[in-house]
């Protein structure tokens, strides 16, 4: 093969159309072995590969279709795939050759012809393809059948209604029961592609066909295995035992050498676990999923990153999978930065009281790394660890103080940011370190760290003797600071005044800051907050103190967790781009169809509470109302599709073991993509909880007198007519 490739390299030279045409004409004579024709066709294909336009040779090249050599046919068909659409007016010249090759004795020729025709979606070719494709789907040779299965998907993409009327989707369904595993895999791939279209049929499986597909796994190729496993997500178990039986048959795929197969098998198992109630089996599955995921980390950095992003999702939903393997995610010195950052996040997720000491020691090592971004994330992770694991908080605070002593600017800034959160998590416990933080005030030059330090000074002004001096220094550059810092300064100045209302310095400071915020700042948020504080202090400073210094709830790590419903939805995309971006594919891929768990009697109650409805976006934008009562619609079924397929025109009959009501509701959700009037009240309650819409009083009802009755030195906005307009 390498020798042949070296010989073919000479053909990759730019040639002229006239020369190639002359060589093709010369090959008509004295070329019994078709050597000359083969050579000139190789030159033409090489020029196509280099990007040269060879379409003027269309009529000359297609004359070679009558050659009995398979190698020549392949090159001519490749030429047709490249230029068939451009030369649609000349395709009638090759239709007879297509039809002849579709009935050739050689199965390779038959498959080549049908595949090439499917690549040229013009009306004349599609018309000729339809009848030939019907025969090829029932061909005696499995190679032709597997090729024809993919051609159905291409035909559906070109003309969906013609494919449906011709019964090709039903023929694909029949191929799911084929004796050849490769044919089954290609049929599944074609049906999946059709089912993922916005206007496609809805591809679902019943238990019988799901078991048949699992039987074909043993003889399938790696990619065939992936297609079959992925199709199992279209099976909705009606009983806990059904999900458990299929899961036990899928577990063996976790030992596969291909990383894509492993991730797809994990995706199927995570999906099926939503329909199980056997806790021991679920714990066993989680235990079995751990080693394959760890094995993926011994691959190259790119595969490692894909595995790490998927692991980050998995451990949020099933922490037991890798709860004892935190050491596996310790960073190596030669890991790329993107791998290190992904490992850092997973280490934090897996941290608990038993391994907190090991994780903290590792994070302290990372805090002295050369890479600034990685060091920042390590310091911040130490603070997050203190918030998450209470017994390790003392050690984490000591580690942060040691890092502050290094006087490295970006390390100190990150430490101050996380210490602010630690104060919120453990009120009244670690305020003794405030003097140390104040000594490093000059090192803070970034908005987030500066705002955090200002919050600390304002919140604990009653414990800091020189708080007024610190605030006076910090407010010196108030007008040049970013909005984030200005907001923190404004609130801190008000807190300082409430703590020390009799200090002349404090009074002058808060007066100065309020005048700046209301008169010399353009930001509406800052200006409105200044008006609000001034109004509260002018009317009743005691009430203002109760509001500004109100006890705040202790922060937790719950905010770090992804919403349960969104997490269940993302786990259905394990091993895809969606799992790397942590976004559903429909948000960044045009015309992609969303996935979500489907309700059934076997679905776990907690999963049912967070179900995410999926709408089909191919519906008309407005509702069409027909006047008059009208006759009742007769119920229709699609006997041709049975339990496997549902079209957009009518819902399929319910699967075995499902109730008619469940099937009807499922069809409504799948086919119409909207919530019908038969939706359960539980779903409505969940929606209300997610987006509360409680009626509230109009906050702008009393604006006419909102800013009246100020003190003598009241704030005056830049626009003097502003109050009049209000």
């Amino acid at each position: 093969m390498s020798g042949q490739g070296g010989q073919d390299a000479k053909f990759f030279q730019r040639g002229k159309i006239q020369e190639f045409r002359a060589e093709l004409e010369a090959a008509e004579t004295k070329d019994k072995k078709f050597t000359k024709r083969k050579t000139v066709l190789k030159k033409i294909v090489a020029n196509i590969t280099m990007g040269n336009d060879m379409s003027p040779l269309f009529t000359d090249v297609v004359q070679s279709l009558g050659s009995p050599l398979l190698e020549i046919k392949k090159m001519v068909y490749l030429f047709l795939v490249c230029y068939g659409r451009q030369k649609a007016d000349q395709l009638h010249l090759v239709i007879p050759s297509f039809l002849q090759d579709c009935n050739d004795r050689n199965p390779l020729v038959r498959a080549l012809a049908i595949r090439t025709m499917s690549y040229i979606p013009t009306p004349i070719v599609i018309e000729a393809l339809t009848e030939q494709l019907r025969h090829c789907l029932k061909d005696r040779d499995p190679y032709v059948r597997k090729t024809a299965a993919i051609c159905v998907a291409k035909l559906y993409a070109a003309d969906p209604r013609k494919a449906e009327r011709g019964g090709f989707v039903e023929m694909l369904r029949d191929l799911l029961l084929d004796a050849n595993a490769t044919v089954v895999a290609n049929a599944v791939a074609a049906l999946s592609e059709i089912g993922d279209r916005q206007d496609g049929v809805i591809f679902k499986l019943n238990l019988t066909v799901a078991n048949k597909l699992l039987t074909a796994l043993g003889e399938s190729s790696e990619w065939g295995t992936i297609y079959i496993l992925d199709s199992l997500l279209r099976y909705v178990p009606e009983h806990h035992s059904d999900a458990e039986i299929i899961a036990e048959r899928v577990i063996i795929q976790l030992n596969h050498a291909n990383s894509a197969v492993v991730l797809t098998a994990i995706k199927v198992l995570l999906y099926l676990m939503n329909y199980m109630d056997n806790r021991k089996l679920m714990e066993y599955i989680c235990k079995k999923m751990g080693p394959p995921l760890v094995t993926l980390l011994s691959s190259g950095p790119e595969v490692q990153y894909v595995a790490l992003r998927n692991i980050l999702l998995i451990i949020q939903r099933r922490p037991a999978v890798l709860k004892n393997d935190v050491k596996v995610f310790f960073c190596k010195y030669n890991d790329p930065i993107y791998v290190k950052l992904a490992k850092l996040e997973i280490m934090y997720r897996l941290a608990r009281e038993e391994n907190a000491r090991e994780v903290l020691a590792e994070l302290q090592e990372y805090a002295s790394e050369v890479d600034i971004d990685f060091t920042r994330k390590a310091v911040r992770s130490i603070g997050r660890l203190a918030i998450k694991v209470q017994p390790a908080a003392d050690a984490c605070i000591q580690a942060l103080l040691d890092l502050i002593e290094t006087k490295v600017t970006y390390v100190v800034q990150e430490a101050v940011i996380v210490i602010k959160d630690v104060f919120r998590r453990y009120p009244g416990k670690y305020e003794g370190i405030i003097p140390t933080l104040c000594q490093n005030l000059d090192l803070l030059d970034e908005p987030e760290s500066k705002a955090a330090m200002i919050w600390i000074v304002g919140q604990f002004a009653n414990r800091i003797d020189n708080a007024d001096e610190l605030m006076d220094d910090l407010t010196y550059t108030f007008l040049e600071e970013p909005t984030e810092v200005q907001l923190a300064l404004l609130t801190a100045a008000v807190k300082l005044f409430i703590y020390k209302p009799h200090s002349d310095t404090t009074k002058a400071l808060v007066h100065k800051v309020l005048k700046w915020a209301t008169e010399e700042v353009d930001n509406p948020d800052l200006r409105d907050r200044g008006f609000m504080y001034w109004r509260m202090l002018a009317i009743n400073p005691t009430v203002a103190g109760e509001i500004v210094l109100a006890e705040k709830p202790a922060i937790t790590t719950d905010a770090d967790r992804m919403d349960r419903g969104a997490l269940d939805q993302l786990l259905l995309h394990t091993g895809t781009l969606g799992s790397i971006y942590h976004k559903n594919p429909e948000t960044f891929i045009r015309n992609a169809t969303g996935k979500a768990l489907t309700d059934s009697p076997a679905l776990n109650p907690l999963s049912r509470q967070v179900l995410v409805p999926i709408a089909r976006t191919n519906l008309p934008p407005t509702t069409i109302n027909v006047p008059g009562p009208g006759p009742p619609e007769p119920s229709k079924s699609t006997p041709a599709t049975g339990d496997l397929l549902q079209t957009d025109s009518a819902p399929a009959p319910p699967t075995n073991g499902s109730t008619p009501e469940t099937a009807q509701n499922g069809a409504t959700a799948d086919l119409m993509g909207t919530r019908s009037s038969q939706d359960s009240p539980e779903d409505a309650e969940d929606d209300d909880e997610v987006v509360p819409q409680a009626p509230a009083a109009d906050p702008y009802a009393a604006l006419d007198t909102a800013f009246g009755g100020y003190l003598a030195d009241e704030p005056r906005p830049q626009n003097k007519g502003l109050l009049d307009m209000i």
Side-chain angles (χ1 to χ4, degrees):
M1 290 297 291
S2 60
Q4 182 67 29
Q7 295 175 8
D8 289 346
K10 63 185 179 182
F11 298 120
F12 286 85
Q13 298 178 4
R14 185 179 297 273
K16 296 182 178 180
I17 299 295
Q18 295 82 357
E19 295 176 358
F20 291 144
R21 182 174 287 121
E23 291 183 27
L24 284 171
E25 292 174 355
E28 296 289 341
T29 58
K30 298 181 181 179
D31 191 24
K32 293 182 179 180
K33 295 184 179 180
F34 303 99
T35 305
K36 295 180 181 179
R37 189 179 300 274
K38 191 189 308 181
T39 301
V40 67
L41 286 174
K42 285 184 178 181
K43 292 180 181 178
I44 293 172
V45 171
N47 273 263
I48 294 174
T49 306
M50 292 188 294
N52 302 328
D53 184 16
M54 296 285 110
S55 59
L57 295 172
F58 189 87
T59 54
D60 303 279
V61 172
V62 296
Q63 293 177 6
S64 302
L65 267 179
S67 171
L69 263 65
L70 181 60
E71 188 176 0
I72 289 180
K73 284 184 179 292
K74 286 182 178 180
M75 288 188 285
V76 176
Y77 278 143
L78 179 61
F79 184 91
L80 286 171
V81 169
C82 293
Y83 299 113
R85 296 186 184 184
Q86 297 181 21
K87 299 292 183 178
D89 56 332
Q90 301 180 28
L91 283 175
H92 64 277
L93 300 175
V94 298
I95 294 299
S97 299
F98 276 142
L99 299 178
Q100 182 180 351
D101 286 349
C102 285
N103 296 287
D104 195 276
R105 296 179 59 183
N106 188 343
L108 296 178
V109 175
R110 296 200 298 273
L112 184 61
I114 202 76
R115 181 170 59 205
T116 305
M117 292 174 74
S118 67
Y119 271 104
I120 310 174
T122 57
I124 186 173
V125 177
I126 290 178
E127 193 63 35
L129 169 67
T130 306
E131 193 59 34
Q132 299 302 324
L133 183 57
R134 196 184 308 279
H135 293 303
C136 289
L137 285 169
K138 299 178 181 179
D139 197 280
R140 62 183 180 276
D141 192 280
Y143 182 80
V144 179
R145 295 199 301 275
K146 83 174 185 65
T147 305
I150 299 298
C151 292
V152 172
K154 296 186 180 297
L155 174 63
Y156 199 98
D159 191 346
R161 303 289 80 85
K162 190 177 188 68
E164 290 177 4
R165 288 194 302 268
F168 289 105
V169 178
E170 287 75 17
M171 297 178 74
L172 270 184
R173 178 203 61 188
D174 296 337
L175 287 183
L176 293 178
L177 305 177
D178 197 279
N180 188 282
T182 307
V183 176
V184 173
N186 280 26
V188 167
L191 285 170
S192 298
E193 184 173 338
I194 293 172
D196 288 339
R197 291 171 56 93
Q198 295 288 354
D199 59 346
V201 299
I202 297 177
F203 175 31
K204 291 187 176 180
L205 299 178
N206 60 18
L207 182 59
T208 304
V209 178
N211 282 321
K212 172 63 180 175
L213 295 181
L214 287 169
T215 304
L217 281 177
E219 303 174 7
S220 299
S221 63
E222 294 175 343
W223 295 112
T225 301
I226 293 171
Y227 280 123
I228 292 175
L229 287 174
D230 202 49
S231 70
L232 294 177
L233 297 181
R234 301 176 186 271
Y235 167 65
V236 182
E238 296 293 332
H239 306 283
H240 299 304
S241 58
D242 297 341
E244 293 166 2
I245 291 172
I246 292 180
E248 289 174 352
R249 299 183 65 181
V250 172
I251 285 179
I252 192 173
Q253 299 299 326
L254 294 176
N255 299 325
H256 204 284
N258 188 295
S259 56
V261 174
V262 172
L263 285 176
T264 309
I266 289 174
K267 171 169 61 177
V268 175
L269 291 172
L270 290 170
Y271 167 73
L272 292 173
M273 288 169 73
N274 291 296
Y275 297 90
M276 298 182 191
D277 64 348
N278 187 338
R279 303 302 304 177
K280 289 186 177 179
L281 179 59
M282 294 168 70
E283 292 174 1
Y284 172 74
I285 293 174
C286 289
K287 185 178 179 181
K288 294 290 287 184
M289 283 194 293
L293 288 172
V294 172
T295 303
L296 292 178
L297 299 180
S298 60
S299 307
E302 293 81 8
V303 177
Q304 276 190 61
Y305 184 71
V306 173
L308 290 169
R309 294 295 287 176
N310 282 276
I311 288 171
L312 189 54
L313 288 176
I314 293 169
I315 60 177
Q316 290 184 63
R317 182 65 179 86
R318 304 287 178 184
V321 173
L322 293 165
K323 65 178 182 180
N324 297 321
D325 296 312
V326 68
K327 287 186 177 180
V328 175
F329 301 99
F330 288 175
C331 299
K332 300 177 182 177
Y333 74 95
N334 58 349
D335 280 340
I337 182 62
Y338 56 89
V339 171
K340 286 183 176 180
L341 293 176
K343 287 184 174 180
L344 201 60
E345 182 65 21
I346 294 174
M347 285 170 55
Y348 162 72
R349 298 281 180 185
L350 294 177
R352 47 201 176 96
E353 184 177 355
E354 291 78 9
N355 57 25
R357 187 179 298 276
E358 297 174 346
V359 173
L360 177 59
E362 194 72 13
L363 292 176
Q364 286 180 278
E365 291 291 332
Y366 301 158
S368 60
E369 287 280 345
V370 177
D371 189 280
I372 295 177
D373 190 31
F374 183 54
T375 301
R376 285 177 177 273
K377 292 291 178 60
V379 175
R380 189 162 295 202
S381 296
I382 293 175
R384 293 171 68 195
L385 180 64
I387 295 171
K388 180 180 179 181
V389 185
Q390 183 172 357
D394 292 343
C396 291
I397 291 295
Q398 186 58 48
L400 289 173
L401 291 176
D402 294 341
L403 291 172
I404 290 175
E405 293 299 325
T406 62
K407 303 295 183 182
V408 179
T409 304
Y410 54 87
V411 173
V412 174
Q413 292 183 138
E414 288 296 328
V416 170
I417 293 170
V418 295
I419 285 175
K420 170 200 167 184
D421 294 334
V422 172
F423 286 159
R424 289 281 308 276
R425 175 68 176 86
Y426 305 106
K429 188 173 182 181
Y430 295 110
E431 282 76 3
I433 66 174
I434 292 177
T436 305
L437 301 180
C438 294
Q439 293 171 7
N440 296 275
L441 200 57
D442 295 337
L443 296 176
L444 309 178
D445 55 7
E446 292 183 358
E448 189 179 3
S449 59
K450 204 167 186 178
M453 189 65 215
I454 292 169
W455 180 90
I456 293 172
V457 172
Q459 186 69 20
F460 303 104
N462 58 332
R463 304 187 184 186
I464 303 175
D465 296 334
N466 61 338
D468 48 356
E469 297 177 7
L470 293 175
M471 285 299 302
D472 192 49
D473 292 339
L474 290 168
T475 55
Y476 184 75
T477 57
F478 179 87
L479 296 177
E480 289 79 29
E481 297 290 354
T483 303
E484 181 182 0
V485 177
Q486 288 177 333
L487 288 168
L489 282 170
L490 177 59
T491 303
V494 173
K495 289 179 179 178
L496 178 63
F497 174 73
I498 292 171
Y499 278 129
K500 302 178 180 180
H502 304 297
S503 170
D504 294 337
T505 306
T506 304
K507 290 180 181 179
L509 177 66
V510 72
H511 180 267
K512 177 173 60 175
V513 173
L514 284 173
K515 285 183 70 66
W516 279 339
T518 54
E519 295 183 13
E520 300 188 29
V521 174
D522 295 330
N523 187 282
D525 293 333
L526 183 61
R527 192 167 60 245
D528 290 348
R529 185 180 294 190
F531 281 133
M532 180 188 69
Y533 284 151
W534 200 314
R535 181 68 173 167
M536 287 195 303
L537 293 174
I539 294 176
N540 194 332
T542 305
V543 175
E546 294 175 358
I547 295 174
V548 177
L549 297 177
E551 185 177 353
K552 299 172 179 61
I555 62 174
T556 64
T557 56
D558 293 340
D560 294 335
R561 301 174 186 171
M562 191 176 294
D563 178 70
R564 169 73 178 272
L567 189 58
D568 284 341
Q569 196 175 3
L570 270 179
L571 287 174
L572 298 178
H573 302 288
T574 301
T576 67
L577 275 178
S579 64
I580 297 176
Y581 295 153
H582 288 185
K583 294 181 179 179
N584 290 314
E586 61 268 24
T587 62
F588 61 88
I589 297 178
R590 188 183 297 111
N591 296 329
T593 306
K595 293 182 180 179
L597 293 177
T598 306
D599 196 8
S600 84
L603 186 64
N604 296 335
L606 291 177
S607 298
R608 184 178 290 111
Q609 291 177 6
V610 294
L611 277 179
V612 179
I614 295 295
R616 294 179 69 87
T617 58
N618 61 328
L619 295 178
T622 58
T623 303
I624 302 173
N625 295 321
V626 181
E633 284 283 334
S635 60
K636 297 181 180 179
S637 61
T638 309
T641 55
D643 290 341
L644 303 180
L645 302 167
Q646 297 179 11
T647 63
D648 284 342
S649 58
T655 55
N656 296 334
S658 65
T659 62
E661 182 181 357
T662 303
Q664 182 179 357
N665 291 343
T668 302
D670 287 331
L671 303 182
M672 299 305 296
T674 56
R675 298 178 68 89
S676 67
S677 59
Q678 297 177 355
D679 287 349
S680 64
E682 294 180 2
D683 294 337
E685 290 176 5
D686 289 342
D687 289 345
D688 291 339
E689 291 176 3
V690 175
V691 186
Q693 297 181 350
D698 183 6
Y700 306 104
L703 274 182
D704 292 337
T705 58
F707 299 105
Y710 266 177
L711 298 176
D713 194 6
E714 62 183 1
R716 293 179 177 84
Q718 291 174 332
N719 188 347
K720 296 183 179 180
L722 176 62
L723 298 182
D724 295 333
M725 289 189 294
I726 294 177

